[in-house]
């Protein structure tokens, strides 16, 4: 230990550490004993900690501690507990009917919360995180439904999908009238303009409305109905309304009529449990598009 | 005042001493006087509030907690008499903390560490523990003698020690017990606790607070103030030359000598001080310092040395307050023959008071005008707007209704705007068209999804303000919120 005895503070008579700032000297004041003991105790404590808990990284792994504690195991236990807590509520979702869920504020809140997260994980890649959709991917917030927008219909579509390969999936497709040589290019242009006129949109100069109606009657009414109102059975869209899955501009319509359309909605049965699918149906219905 | 010592006369005291210094145990003597009385009074008030407040009842209606002061953690509510705070109102606590901090600054600029000396829990409980110790083991001299004596322990002494620690532990235990009562209905919890049916957490907290009270007030005492508490350091930086600190008024003369000698010297016309070097001020000091050495960090401004010295001065017939709340400025003024001046009102104290008044006033105002029915509206972001098949436009909103009152409310929701909107609440069948009615249970919130549609002919071109009204159909209490309606 350095001997500071030569440097003594003249006021207090105590020795100093020899440190000096702006002429102010630091007195050599020993620590209180309890403080030092506490300090040593923390060191002992930390050694105990190294032994009891996983602490030291090794080349391949790490020391595991005496009781095999790991934070991962902790998380597993917490998750199991969470499942247990949520079990009852999810069971209630599983047994209640869709309509009852919407009537019961607590179940509705649960279904919406659950549905929202599941939707985000599974459906958002196609339909967008808020279900806003995109060209070719239905907007679930509006009131236009190819396969029906009631709670039951929505649930059925989620469960089995459309053209998904599931035995109970919705089937039906827009034929490729141009590719398959059923309609000639100019006929396609004419009928595309006719379809535009159905929802009150402007038509090309000099287009023959009577001819368009004739082509439509011969080729399209089977699915889209006499006045183009569509058919839920085969997922044929209503052509008279203001919204459309693939676009109502002439180019889009021509493409649709020539190439056909057959978008796929996967079946979620088997991938998600029934209660979750129910929650998702309620959530989608509550987005506002439901009927 | 410290005299400068010639360095050559000094001997090294502790330069090669141990790494640590053993504790100098303090044996404060009992004292009576003005400041001691103030201290007893404040102690009674503080402890009275702390121990008995949880038992004060407050009627909030059926089903609501009837405890005047309650921190209801499971339901995230805080009750304080007629005030009930929700989690989103925690800013009141922020306000309270700011006021508390500034109040501490204000106290400090007026009277130094008076908080420490009179109101700090560490001081209050230590004082209480000292009182118990004095009652059982006797005053300063006796305690010192007992501590020093190496006689084998006699039954009497053992029973003294056992009794002291039992009473300490009982106080500590009741301190921990009172703490948990603030978080539960007190009478119920007391019943549960004594029948060993209370929640584990309550026992754990009682254990922790019993231990800390016992250790901090029984053993650590002034060391908490000197070594552990940051306030002495902070206050030293906050104080100014006008603050009144417990001060030995050395302007009343040196040197210090015995009563008899002083009288003799005075008779000879010699300079002599009022202090008779009786060490009473040191004996009573709970931090064990000699205030005559000038202001020291350890001093908690408790004023007990003032009482002790006043008693001495009264006895020897000299004026009181040789030690008093004073400052260096006045000591110097008196030395120069000028009258002392005391400046409580100065820039610093005005600013602190103004801050306290402003924040306190704002809190009282917001509390007084706080509504018991609230509505928050959040516009859906994704999608912002939806076009429906008939060409009309719809916006969706998440609406949160807060019913802070103590009864269930039937709330009618209404929307109003230049686009002639219609509204649907998901999951609610409208009783009257466009005016759904929702029942919100007492003291709770409801989150609703609201779909607002503007007919095709009223499609807005850009964002249009809409107003949501919510109204308690029974009482007519209303609240509203504005948001925008946008086109795709
Ligand atoms: S010096 Fe006086 S005021 Fe300061 S702590 Fe000691 S007794 Fe209290
Ligand atoms: S109590 Fe008063 S007279 Fe006695 S030593 Fe302290 S200051 Fe001097």
């Amino acid at each position: 230990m350095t001997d500071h005895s030569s440097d003594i503070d003249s006021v207090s008579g105590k020795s100093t550490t020899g440190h000096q700032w702006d002429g102010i000297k630091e007195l050599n004041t020993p620590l209180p004993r309890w403080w030092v003991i506490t300090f040593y105790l923390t060191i002992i404590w930390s050694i105990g900690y190294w032994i009891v808990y996983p602490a030291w990284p090794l080349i391949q792994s790490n020391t595991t501690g005496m009781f095999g504690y790991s934070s991962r195991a902790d998380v597993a236990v917490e998750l199991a507990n969470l499942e247990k807590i949520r079990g009852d509520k999810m069971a209630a979702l599983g047994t209640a009917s869709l309509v009852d869920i919407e009537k019961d504020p607590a179940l509705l809140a649960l279904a919406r919360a659950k549905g929202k997260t599941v939707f985000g994980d599974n459906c958002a890649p196609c339909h967008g995180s808020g279900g806003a959709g995109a060209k070719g991917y239905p907007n679930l917030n509006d009131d236009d439904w190819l396969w029906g927008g009631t709670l039951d219909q929505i649930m059925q579509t989620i469960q089995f999908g459309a053209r998904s390969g599931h035995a109970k999936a919705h089937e039906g497709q827009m034929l490729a009238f141009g590719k398959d040589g059923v309609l000639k290019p100019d006929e396609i242009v004419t009928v595309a303009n006719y379809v535009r006129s159905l929802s009150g949109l402007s038509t090309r100069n000099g287009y023959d409305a009577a001819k368009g109606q004739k082509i439509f009657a011969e080729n399209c009414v089977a699915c889209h109905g006499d006045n183009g109102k569509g058919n839920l059975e085969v997922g044929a869209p209503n052509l008279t309304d203001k919204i459309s899955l693939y676009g109502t501009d002439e180019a889009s319509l021509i493409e649709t009529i020539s190439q056909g359309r057959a978008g796929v909605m996967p079946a979620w049965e088997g991938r998600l449990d029934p209660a979750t699918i129910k929650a998702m149906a309620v959530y989608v219905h509550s987005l506002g598009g439901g009927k | 005042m410290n005299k400068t010592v010639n360095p050559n006369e000094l001997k090294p005291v502790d330069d090669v001493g141990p790494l640590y210094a053993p504790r100098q145990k303090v044996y404060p003597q009992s004292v009576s006087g003005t400041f001691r009385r103030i201290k007893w009074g404040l102690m009674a008030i503080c402890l009275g509030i702390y121990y008995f407040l949880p038992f004060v009842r407050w009627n909030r209606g059926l089903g609501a907690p009837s405890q005047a002061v309650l921190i209801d953690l499971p339901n995230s509510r805080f009750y304080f008499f007629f005030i009930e705070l929700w989690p989103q109102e925690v800013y009141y606590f922020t306000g309270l903390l700011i006021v508390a901090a500034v109040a501490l600054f204000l106290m400090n600029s007026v009277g130094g560490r008076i908080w420490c000396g009179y109101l700090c829990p560490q001081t209050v409980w230590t004082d209480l523990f000292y009182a118990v110790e004095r009652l059982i083991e006797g005053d300063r001299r006796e305690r010192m003698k007992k501590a020093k004596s190496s006689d084998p322990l006699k039954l009497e002494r053992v029973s003294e020690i056992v009794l002291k620690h039992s009473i300490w532990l009982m106080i500590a235990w009741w301190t921990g017990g009172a703490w948990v009562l603030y978080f539960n209905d007190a009478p119920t919890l007391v019943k549960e606790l004594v029948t060993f049916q209370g929640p584990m957490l309550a026992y754990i907290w009682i254990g922790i607070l019993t231990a800390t009270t016992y250790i901090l007030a029984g053993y650590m005492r002034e060391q908490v103030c000197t070594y552990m508490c940051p306030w002495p350091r902070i206050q030293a930086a906050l104080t100014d030359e006008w603050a009144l600190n417990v001060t030995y008024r050395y302007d009343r003369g040196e040197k210090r000598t015995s009563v008899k000698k002083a009288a003799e010297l005075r008779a000879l016309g010699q300079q002599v001080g009022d202090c008779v070097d009786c060490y009473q001020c040191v004996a009573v000091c709970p931090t064990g310092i000699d205030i005559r050495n000038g202001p020291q960090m350890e001093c908690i401004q408790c004023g007990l040395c003032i009482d002790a010295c006043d008693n001495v001065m009264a006895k020897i017939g000299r004026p009181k307050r040789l030690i008093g709340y004073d400052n260096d400025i006045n000591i110097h003024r008196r030395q120069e023959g000028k009258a002392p001046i005391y400046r409580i009102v100065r820039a610093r104290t005005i600013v602190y008071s103004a801050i306290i008044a402003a924040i306190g006033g704002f809190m009282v105002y917001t509390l007084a005008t706080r509504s018991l029915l609230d509505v928050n509206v959040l516009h859906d972001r994704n999608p912002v707007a939806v076009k429906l098949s008939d060409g009309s436009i719809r916006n969706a909103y998440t609406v949160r209704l807060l019913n802070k009152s103590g009864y269930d409310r039937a709330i009618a929701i209404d929307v109003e705007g230049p686009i002639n909107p219609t509204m649907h609440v998901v999951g609610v069948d409208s009783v009257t068209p466009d005016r759904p009615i929702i029942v919100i249970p007492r003291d709770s919130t409801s989150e609703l999804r609201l779909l607002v549609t503007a007919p095709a002919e009223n499609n807005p071109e850009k964002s249009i303000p809409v107003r949501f009204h919510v109204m308690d159909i029974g009482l007519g209490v209303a609240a509203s919120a504005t948001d925008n309606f946008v086109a795709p």
Side-chain angles (χ1 to χ4, degrees):
Chain A
M1 203 176 260
T2 342
D3 183 20
H4 301 302
S5 48
S6 52
D7 194 15
I8 294 167
D9 174 54
S10 60
V11 176
S12 63
K14 289 186 175 182
S15 65
T16 75
T17 59
H19 302 154
Q20 193 173 334
W21 293 271
D22 295 341
I24 298 171
K25 291 178 184 170
E26 182 185 40
L27 289 184
N28 184 13
T29 310
L31 294 165
R33 174 160 45 198
W34 65 267
W35 199 99
V36 177
I37 292 171
T38 312
F39 178 60
Y40 288 144
L41 283 178
T42 59
I43 294 175
I44 294 168
W45 175 270
S46 74
I47 293 170
Y49 208 95
W50 291 342
I51 298 166
V52 173
Y53 285 100
W56 286 95
L58 307 173
I59 293 169
Q60 293 289 325
S61 58
N62 57 286
T63 57
T64 52
M66 262 161 55
F67 304 124
Y69 168 88
S70 86
S71 48
R72 188 174 294 234
D74 249 16
V75 172
V77 171
E78 294 280 320
L79 283 178
N81 278 341
L82 195 68
E83 282 298 308
K84 222 190 275 165
I85 295 167
R86 289 194 180 155
D88 296 351
K89 290 184 178 170
M90 284 308 284
L93 265 193
T95 49
S97 79
L98 286 165
V99 179
D100 287 345
I101 295 175
E102 273 218 339
K103 287 270 156 59
D104 181 335
L107 280 180
L108 175 63
L110 174 67
R112 287 195 54 213
K114 174 83 181 169
K116 190 173 176 152
T117 38
V118 179
F119 188 91
D121 290 347
N122 298 285
C123 318
C126 292
H127 293 284
S129 60
K135 191 169 176 177
Y137 300 98
N139 182 346
L140 305 175
N141 292 267
D142 65 23
D143 60 348
D144 194 15
W145 295 88
L146 295 179
W147 309 100
T150 65
L151 273 168
D152 286 328
Q153 287 167 329
I154 292 175
M155 170 131 155
Q156 197 195 355
T157 306
I158 298 173
Q159 227 175 339
F160 309 123
R163 296 173 281 262
S164 63
H166 191 286
K168 290 187 188 167
H170 293 305
E171 294 297 345
Q173 58 179 311
M174 173 73 190
L175 300 172
F177 289 91
K179 206 164 81 179
D180 297 348
V182 181
L183 292 175
K184 290 197 240 4
D186 64 315
E187 287 174 325
I188 292 175
V189 173
T190 308
V191 81
N193 276 283
Y194 176 74
V195 168
R196 272 174 69 78
S197 73
L198 285 177
S199 37
L201 297 166
S202 63
T203 48
R204 192 189 269 218
N205 270 346
Y207 121 90
D208 185 342
K211 193 176 160 207
Q213 188 174 18
K214 188 164 164 276
I215 300 168
F216 189 83
E218 283 166 4
N219 298 282
C220 315
V221 289
C223 292
H224 292 283
D226 281 342
N227 30 25
K229 291 271 188 213
N231 181 0
L232 291 182
E233 290 299 308
V234 293
N238 180 351
L239 302 175
T240 64
D241 64 16
K242 302 271 194 266
I243 39 188
S244 159
L245 184 52
Y246 292 99
T248 47
D249 56 303
E250 197 189 56
S252 296
L253 282 170
I254 290 172
E255 190 192 330
T256 302
I257 299 166
S258 330
Q259 307 294 324
R261 300 284 187 190
V264 171
M265 161 78 183
W268 293 94
E269 197 189 48
R271 288 200 248 182
L272 299 173
D273 64 273
T276 306
I277 290 180
K278 242 185 210 176
M280 223 150 74
V282 171
Y283 168 71
V284 169
H285 188 255
S286 77
L287 283 177
K291 285 184 177 158
Chain B
M1 205 172 59
N2 284 318
K3 283 170 286 175
T4 308
V5 184
N6 177 1
N8 297 330
E9 292 169 13
L10 288 169
K11 287 206 178 70
V13 191
D14 50 6
D15 54 316
V16 280
L19 177 61
Y20 58 79
R23 177 184 179 193
Q24 302 293 322
K25 204 159 181 251
V26 184
Y27 298 89
Q29 197 181 331
S30 66
V31 63
S32 59
T34 317
F35 295 100
R36 183 63 261 187
R37 274 197 296 280
I38 295 175
K39 261 175 85 77
W40 286 133
L42 288 174
M43 182 204 275
I45 293 169
C46 292
L47 292 178
I49 291 175
Y50 177 73
Y51 287 132
F52 297 109
L53 193 56
F55 294 100
V56 178
R57 305 284 98 188
W58 194 265
N59 187 10
R60 290 192 185 85
L62 211 65
S66 59
Q67 187 156 322
V69 179
L70 178 70
I71 301 159
D72 186 357
L73 288 180
N75 300 312
S76 334
R77 294 285 184 277
F78 173 71
Y79 301 92
F80 187 83
F81 294 92
F82 58 93
I83 301 168
E84 177 193 332
L85 295 184
W86 285 42
Q88 54 268 63
E89 291 163 324
V90 283
Y91 53 81
Y92 284 114
F93 292 99
T94 316
L96 217 55
L97 286 177
I98 297 173
V99 168
V102 182
L104 205 55
F105 299 170
L106 179 64
M107 278 170 135
N108 176 56
S109 60
V110 172
R113 282 170 71 186
I114 40 176
W115 161 264
C116 306
Y118 297 92
L119 293 168
C120 175
Q122 174 63 22
T123 293
V124 169
W125 264 277
T126 302
D127 216 19
L128 180 65
F129 273 44
Y130 267 135
V132 171
E133 189 171 84
R134 219 173 272 134
L135 196 75
I136 293 166
E137 297 188 341
D139 214 343
R140 177 177 158 90
R141 265 170 217 289
E142 276 176 83
R143 296 208 307 277
M144 283 168 94
K145 210 170 80 198
K146 282 172 185 165
K148 255 224 244 83
S149 124
S150 51
D151 298 346
L153 287 180
K154 292 213 192 68
L155 186 64
E156 202 187 344
R157 177 77 185 126
V158 172
S159 56
E160 249 179 33
I161 294 172
V162 170
L163 185 61
K164 178 178 86 173
H165 287 277
S166 316
I167 297 179
W168 275 4
L169 277 168
M170 265 160 58
I171 297 172
W173 168 77
W174 185 225
T175 305
W179 173 260
V180 299
L181 297 184
Y182 284 90
F183 296 84
N184 275 286
D185 183 62
T188 319
L189 186 63
V190 168
K191 235 174 275 159
E192 286 175 1
L193 286 173
V194 295
T195 52
F196 297 102
Q197 260 145 30
M200 199 54 209
L201 206 60
Y203 290 108
I204 292 174
W205 272 106
I206 293 177
I208 292 174
L209 279 141
T210 305
T212 49
T213 310
Y214 177 67
I215 293 168
L216 292 184
Y219 291 96
M220 298 298 289
R221 298 173 165 179
E222 82 286 347
Q223 297 183 99
V224 174
C225 315
T226 315
Y227 299 111
M228 297 167 121
C229 179
W231 180 232
R233 277 82 183 167
I234 299 169
Q235 83 92 30
L238 280 171
T239 197
D240 67 356
E241 69 276 25
W242 288 105
L244 297 176
N245 282 300
V246 172
T247 308
Y248 170 67
R249 288 167 169 148
Y250 56 85
D251 57 291
R252 288 192 28 188
E254 296 288 354
K255 58 196 191 191
R256 308 163 188 174
T257 180
S258 73
V259 191
K260 229 166 100 191
K261 258 228 188 105
E264 283 166 14
L265 290 172
R266 256 193 214 105
L268 294 172
Q270 278 193 28
Q271 243 276 310
V272 64
D274 278 342
C275 174
V276 293
D277 230 355
C278 64
Y279 279 91
Q280 280 308 296
C281 49
V282 180
V284 300
C285 177
T287 69
I289 55 165
D290 186 345
I291 193 65
R292 296 173 302 163
N293 290 339
Q296 285 147 81
M297 194 207 66
E298 289 88 342
C299 176
I300 55 170
Q301 309 290 334
C302 66
L304 293 184
C305 52
I306 306 181
D307 282 343
C309 190
D310 276 359
N311 294 342
V312 174
M313 290 298 121
K315 248 179 246 155
I316 63 168
R318 307 290 304 172
K320 285 188 173 183
R321 295 293 142 89
L322 174 58
I323 304 175
Y325 282 97
D326 208 342
N327 56 34
D328 258 5
I329 294 179
N330 285 324
I331 289 181
H332 290 304
R333 286 181 67 87
R334 279 193 298 265
Q335 278 179 330
E336 291 161 16
K338 296 186 208 152
I341 38 173
Y342 294 95
R343 277 208 194 133
I344 303 291
V345 183
R346 51 188 200 275
R348 199 181 271 263
T349 53
I350 292 171
V351 169
Y352 291 152
S353 309
I355 294 173
I356 293 171
I359 297 176
F362 180 72
M363 277 168 57
V364 170
Y365 171 78
T366 51
L367 266 179
T369 55
R370 167 179 183 272
S371 81
L372 295 179
L373 176 65
D374 257 353
V375 53
N376 299 322
V377 178
L378 195 71
H379 196 294
D380 263 22
R381 303 251 161 265
N382 188 10
V384 188
V386 177
K387 189 169 194 175
L388 299 184
S389 51
D390 62 356
S392 55
I393 291 175
R394 191 171 60 199
N395 282 198
Y397 304 84
T398 301
V399 172
R400 182 178 275 274
L401 293 170
L402 295 86
N403 176 11
K404 298 181 189 170
S405 60
Y407 36 83
D408 298 358
R409 282 184 141 154
I411 306 288
I413 307 179
D414 212 350
V415 64
E416 163 198 274
I419 37 157
N420 193 18
T422 56
M423 181 178 63
H424 171 69
V425 181
V426 174
V428 176
D429 294 321
S430 305
V431 178
T432 52
D434 311 337
R435 241 192 125 189
I437 290 174
I438 294 124
V439 175
I440 309 174
R442 51 170 285 275
D443 197 32
S444 67
T445 64
S446 255
E447 203 177 81
L448 304 169
R449 191 174 158 78
L450 235 72
L451 306 171
V452 176
T453 311
E457 63 274 17
N458 285 329
N459 277 355
E461 272 166 15
K462 50 180 182 358
S463 152
I464 296 252
V466 283
R467 210 165 169 72
F468 296 91
H469 297 286
V470 295
M471 197 165 117
D472 183 324
I473 54 171
L475 291 162
V477 181
S480 59
T482 311
D483 208 301
N484 287 314
F485 188 93
V486 292

